[in-house]
Amino acid sequence: MKILVCITNVPDTTAKISFIDGDTKFNKTGVQYICGPYDDYALSRAVELKEQHGGTVTVLNVGEAESEQVIRKCLAIGADDAIRVNTEPTDSYFVAEQIAHIASQENYDLILMGRESIDFNSGVVHGLVGEMLGIPSLSPVMKLEIDGGVAKMTREIEGGKEDVEASLPLVLGCQEPIAEWKIPNMRGIMSARTKPLKVVEPVGSGLTITEKYALPAPKGAVKMIPAEEAEKLIDLLKNEAKVL
Amino acid sequence: MEFYQSNKVDDFESPDFYQIDDLLTEEHLLIRQSVRDFIKKEVSPIIEDAAQKAAFPAYLVKKFGEMGLFGPTIPEKYGAGGLDYIAYGLMMQEVERGDSGLRSMASVQGSLVMYPIYEYGSEEQRLKYLPKLASGEYLGCFGLTEPDFGSNPAGMKTRIEDKGDYYLLNGSKMWISNAPMADIAVVWAKNEQGRIKGLIVERGMEGFSTPEIHQKWSLRASCTGELVFDNVKVPKENLLPSADGLRGPLGCLDSARYGIAWGALGAAMDCYDSAKKYALERIQFDKPIASFQLVQKKLAEMLTEITKAQLICWRLGMLKNAGKATTAQISLAKRNNVDIALKIAREARQLHGGMGITGEYPIMRHLMNLESVVTYEGTHDIHLLILGAEITGISAFK
Ligand SMILES: Cc1cc2nc3c(=O)[nH]c(=O)nc-3n(C[C@H](O)[C@H](O)[C@H](O)COP(=O)(O)OP(=O)(O)OC[C@H]3O[C@@H](n4cnc5c(N)ncnc54)[C@H](O)[C@@H]3O)c2cc1C
Ligand SMILES: Cc1cc2nc3c(=O)[nH]c(=O)nc-3n(C[C@H](O)[C@H](O)[C@H](O)COP(=O)(O)OP(=O)(O)OC[C@H]3O[C@@H](n4cnc5c(N)ncnc54)[C@H](O)[C@@H]3O)c2cc1C
């Protein structure tokens, strides 16, 4: 089985967010980068599937050279090789185009992604890639087993879960508890030294230009209104918060 | 034994005031992060309970092996890491950040058992024992100290006699980390000529027992015991062929003390990180206690000492990598870093107020653990004497 896992290089969840160049660029100074947590689930499941069924796991990132630290970690966790599309990925469509282009050159049985990135959180790249390749895409997948050429999955839906089956090839957006995150061990880290990491140039160009970033307004303090003063609460919602 | 799994989040972050991370390679950073993640996942949730119960979480030995924490500088050919000394140091830092007892377990296995077998052992001994020790299938211990010979190991009484087809081993060792659970012991004993020799003694050999030392207030999550040899017949092939004299065990200690210098730094960083966060959250006199000058003084001094210790470790690691680190240089690092860690743990304990004495925070555990660390592998004062002898050329031991 050939599996492609698409990973993002994203700021750690505890990173302090600020902008530079007149609020047009994210300030990367002092920011620690990690592999997107949902992408980590996808990778962990891919490595497990490889252990069960044999095959290969290729990691793909659309990003600049600084992503390579995270890519090495993915190789240390158990991916066999990696591809980096050398570009600043400016929007979801552009990223999807790159992934589809790479995927169309090989016959991957599975293309695993995270349910969403944790910087832009659009949750659309898997759908776009599925459309571009003309194969089904599903998300968010929380359970995945492969039986012959068929994927048996559990998907989270509004208010519940659904069990679905689909035949390969597929694009999936993954989330917990599809697998447990894997921590690379020293043997993995050593073997990652010599695993191939291919850098390729992008096709097309991104269409989005960022005019301005802004931080969300800071959250106000919580006001506690005792249950017996419901009128006061309604008054505040009407006249102060202006939501009623 | 079952351990209670705490769901308290371990949000440790290491200080890097002088951007020493820039001196590390990407691979070093990945190693540090991976070991930190491993400790947060496997050790932090159970360590408080293990220490409170004074029980060694033996199931972790295999997990440490799987992670690659045993003997990382020994060549890959023997199932170990093939990594450099900075990588080894970072691992010990992260493990001791979790707990000094588990770091002791790992130091003994890597530096005091695998190292002498690799350094002084025959190729057959290496191939027989190293892969099993690296994977954690075997746990090893190191027997040097005796009831009457601690700082002065040269006076040891444990003896071997050449009986033709085997050595007859008699004597006892005291304060031996891992002893009660160990599968093998690297034991130092004198031969008929009074030369110190190293032997591999295996559990199950007749006359060999490992009674546990109970009621420790320190390193409670590590097991410590005695080694008792009552006419133990040790096969000749278990003698380490290249170890002769006190230099044998002392060579191992250099390697372990190097790891301790990093490890103590890990414990210090954990205390500092916890104290800093607590000081920012704890309100007294309507303000976070971090706003008081006396509290800031403590935090500023902690960070200063941690930064100096980080630089010592890094430089010593580079010297180790180049094969140039001397015993006296390692003594300075071990002595300084354990000392600052103890002081930081004491100050951090005070900053946590009453909470600081509970198992809710790691401080008191680190503090008690470090009292062993300052004593074993050469006491604080013995390292001072090593430095004194280096400076003056005059030994003041006797
Ligand atoms: C100015 C700017 C700079 C950026 N710089 C970088 C960078 O240096 N490195 C970097 O990795 N990303 C970078 N990003 C891209 C960003 O991290 C997102 O990946 C991208 O914008 C898609 O976001 P999304 O929310 O639509 O993805 P979603 O649709 O939420 O993502 C779903 C899944 O698609 C896959 N995926 C998404 N993006 C990528 C990608 N870039 N490569 C591989 N798989 C992907 C992942 O599996 C992800 O879990 C940058 C974005 C901008 C706007
Ligand atoms: C938890 C724990 C685990 C241990 N694990 C191991 C192990 O795995 N293997 C092993 O072999 N040993 C182990 N040890 C033993 C340890 O190395 C010894 O305790 C240490 O070397 C000190 O020896 P001692 O306890 O006999 O103290 P002593 O040597 O009796 O020292 C007592 C005091 O006298 C001082 N002193 C001694 N000589 C001098 C001098 N010349 N000048 C000035 N002051 C002096 C010392 O500094 C110390 O303060 C362990 C100890 C502990 C506590």
Side-chain angles (χ1 to χ4, degrees):
Chain A
M1 190 157 46
K2 275 174 82 76
I3 309 177
L4 182 69
V5 181
C6 305
I7 60 122
T8 52
N9 180 50
V10 291
D12 193 357
T13 44
T14 56
K16 291 205 173 60
I17 305 298
S18 64
F19 307 107
I20 47 170
D21 291 354
D23 289 342
T24 58
K25 276 211 168 89
F26 174 59
N27 181 6
K28 293 175 178 171
T29 338
V31 171
Q32 168 116 29
Y33 281 83
I34 57 169
C35 177
Y38 297 111
D39 313 343
D40 241 342
Y41 285 120
L43 175 65
S44 297
R45 189 63 191 138
V47 170
E48 288 171 5
L49 288 172
K50 182 184 112 173
E51 279 161 11
Q52 283 168 22
H53 302 278
T56 55
V57 175
T58 300
V59 162
L60 170 61
N61 171 259
V62 182
E64 297 176 287
E66 62 201 19
S67 297
E68 289 191 3
Q69 194 172 346
V70 158
I71 297 174
R72 281 281 165 222
K73 178 179 170 185
C74 296
L75 293 170
I77 283 175
D80 300 281
D81 59 351
I83 303 167
R84 180 172 68 82
V85 180
N86 183 30
T87 180
E88 183 176 355
T90 43
D91 61 58
S92 315
Y93 187 87
F94 178 63
V95 167
E97 239 185 330
Q98 308 311 317
I99 297 175
H101 178 71
I102 299 284
S104 63
Q105 298 168 9
E106 291 277 347
N107 293 317
Y108 292 106
D109 301 293
L110 272 175
I111 301 174
L112 298 186
M113 304 191 187
R115 63 171 286 172
E116 63 187 67
S117 66
I118 64 152
D119 49 1
F120 290 80
N121 301 76
S122 315
V124 294
V125 170
H126 23 75
L128 289 168
V129 171
E131 283 304 307
M132 288 171 181
L133 294 173
I135 59 175
S137 70
L138 287 98
S139 183
V141 176
M142 45 203 295
K143 216 175 136 200
L144 167 66
E145 298 293 343
I146 303 293
D147 190 354
V150 178
K152 297 182 173 172
M153 295 160 284
T154 304
R155 211 169 70 87
E156 189 176 277
I157 53 168
E158 201 64 43
K161 293 176 194 171
E162 82 177 349
D163 292 332
V164 276
E165 285 189 16
S167 43
L168 306 179
L170 286 174
V171 184
L172 305 178
C174 305
Q175 71 169 37
E176 73 282 4
I178 193 161
E180 216 182 304
W181 282 333
K182 292 196 188 325
I183 299 171
N185 64 17
M186 299 310 129
R187 204 171 310 121
I189 291 172
M190 296 268 294
S191 65
R193 284 178 184 169
T194 49
K195 288 180 178 174
L197 194 172
K198 193 165 80 184
V199 179
V200 299
E201 291 307 315
V203 289
S205 58
L207 300 172
T208 304
I209 296 162
T210 305
E211 286 189 347
K212 215 170 179 57
Y213 286 108
L215 288 175
K219 280 190 193 139
V222 176
K223 276 186 188 160
M224 303 295 285
I225 315 286
E228 54 273 17
E229 293 174 31
E231 271 122 76
K232 194 170 165 193
L233 176 65
I234 291 166
D235 180 60
L236 282 172
L237 289 172
K238 258 190 193 153
N239 299 316
E240 200 181 296
K242 299 197 168 67
V243 291
L244 289 184
Chain B
M1 181 174 296
E2 287 281 304
F3 294 97
Y4 169 73
Q5 292 271 342
S6 160
N7 50 20
K8 191 173 174 202
V9 178
D10 175 357
D11 58 358
F12 171 74
E13 292 163 321
S14 54
D16 183 22
F17 196 61
Y18 265 35
Q19 295 172 21
I20 298 163
D21 281 5
D22 292 354
L23 301 172
L24 304 175
T25 64
E26 245 174 44
E27 188 176 283
H28 289 143
L29 294 173
L30 178 56
I31 288 170
R32 183 180 67 188
Q33 188 61 46
S34 303
V35 180
R36 187 171 298 170
D37 289 346
F38 170 81
I39 293 295
K40 286 186 178 185
K41 179 170 176 228
E42 299 289 348
V43 173
S44 305
I46 58 103
I47 192 62
E48 191 53 42
D49 191 44
Q52 294 276 0
K53 286 180 178 147
F56 171 56
Y59 70 94
L60 284 179
V61 176
K62 279 231 171 69
K63 294 198 180 209
F64 271 50
E66 170 60 28
M67 190 64 196
L69 296 173
F70 297 138
T73 57
I74 286 171
E76 274 177 282
K77 182 179 165 196
Y78 304 108
L83 295 165
D84 73 355
Y85 276 93
I86 299 277
Y88 174 53
L90 289 167
M91 284 179 202
M92 293 303 109
Q93 170 189 303
E94 293 303 318
V95 175
E96 187 145 3
R97 204 282 301 174
D99 187 72
S100 308
L102 295 177
R103 201 271 305 135
S104 303
M105 178 269 282
S107 282
V108 168
Q109 180 93 338
S111 288
L112 299 181
V113 181
M114 294 173 71
Y115 176 86
I117 294 175
Y118 173 64
E119 202 61 35
Y120 312 125
S122 65
E123 190 61 14
E124 295 75 58
Q125 288 170 337
R126 291 172 173 181
L127 291 170
K128 179 170 175 194
Y129 296 105
L130 292 178
K132 286 185 170 146
L133 290 159
S135 69
E137 186 185 335
Y138 275 5
L139 183 66
C141 68
F142 174 87
L144 177 65
T145 307
E146 298 186 357
D148 296 330
F149 296 90
S151 298
N152 178 24
M156 69 174 64
K157 283 186 184 150
T158 301
R159 285 284 185 282
I160 48 170
E161 273 173 80
D162 192 337
K163 292 284 181 189
D165 343 325
Y166 60 86
Y167 293 107
L168 191 66
L169 174 65
N170 275 297
S172 69
K173 298 284 173 182
M174 180 79 173
W175 297 117
I176 308 306
S177 303
N178 298 353
M181 309 287 282
D183 301 286
I184 65 165
V186 168
V187 176
W188 302 94
K190 281 187 182 162
N191 65 10
E192 291 94 334
Q193 290 76 44
R195 295 296 297 173
I196 295 176
K197 293 283 174 188
L199 302 113
I200 303 165
V201 179
E202 296 186 33
R203 182 169 296 282
M205 287 183 176
E206 212 179 311
F208 172 43
S209 59
T210 60
E212 184 161 0
I213 297 173
H214 293 287
Q215 300 187 322
K216 288 180 299 172
W217 280 122
S218 178
L219 298 192
R220 288 168 64 84
S222 141
C223 58
T224 315
E226 293 169 55
L227 303 176
V228 182
F229 313 106
D230 178 12
N231 287 316
V232 182
K233 291 180 183 168
V234 182
K236 285 225 152 150
E237 68 260 24
N238 284 27
L239 184 90
L240 297 174
S242 315
D244 186 37
L246 195 59
R247 225 177 307 143
L250 294 189
C252 308
L253 294 179
D254 269 356
S255 165
R257 288 167 181 171
Y258 168 76
I260 294 174
W262 284 86
L265 174 59
M269 293 198 293
D270 200 36
C271 293
Y272 165 76
D273 186 56
S274 181
K276 183 185 82 177
K277 286 173 180 151
Y278 189 81
L280 285 165
E281 277 166 17
R282 175 69 178 166
I283 311 283
Q284 286 296 289
F285 302 97
D286 306 320
K287 287 181 186 165
I289 57 170
S291 39
F292 304 121
Q293 286 185 346
L294 289 176
V295 172
Q296 291 189 1
K297 173 177 187 284
K298 287 189 169 73
L299 293 173
E301 286 176 351
M302 287 181 193
L303 183 60
T304 306
E305 292 307 327
I306 286 171
T307 304
K308 290 193 275 188
Q310 284 172 322
L311 287 166
I312 289 179
C313 280
W314 178 80
R315 179 64 191 147
L316 188 61
M318 296 309 278
L319 288 172
K320 277 282 256 180
N321 281 344
K324 291 199 283 195
T326 66
T327 297
Q329 284 169 339
I330 296 169
S331 279
L332 185 150
K334 190 265 182 187
R335 181 174 184 275
N336 178 76
N337 291 10
V338 178
D339 186 49
I340 65 118
L342 257 175
K343 287 181 180 145
I344 288 170
R346 286 189 191 120
E347 295 284 20
R349 212 229 41 76
Q350 291 201 45
L351 282 183
H352 285 76
M355 288 311 285
I357 69 151
T358 69
E360 195 59 26
Y361 292 90
I363 316 298
M364 194 75 186
R365 182 166 47 79
H366 282 311
L367 183 50
M368 296 197 299
N369 282 342
L370 288 165
E371 289 292 345
S372 287
V373 183
V374 77
T375 291
Y376 69 27
E377 301 270 353
T379 69
H380 188 65
D381 287 345
I382 290 295
H383 286 296
L384 192 94
L385 295 179
I386 294 175
L387 281 172
E390 176 80 9
I391 296 165
T392 61
I394 306 165
S395 160
F397 289 93
K398 291 185 206 164

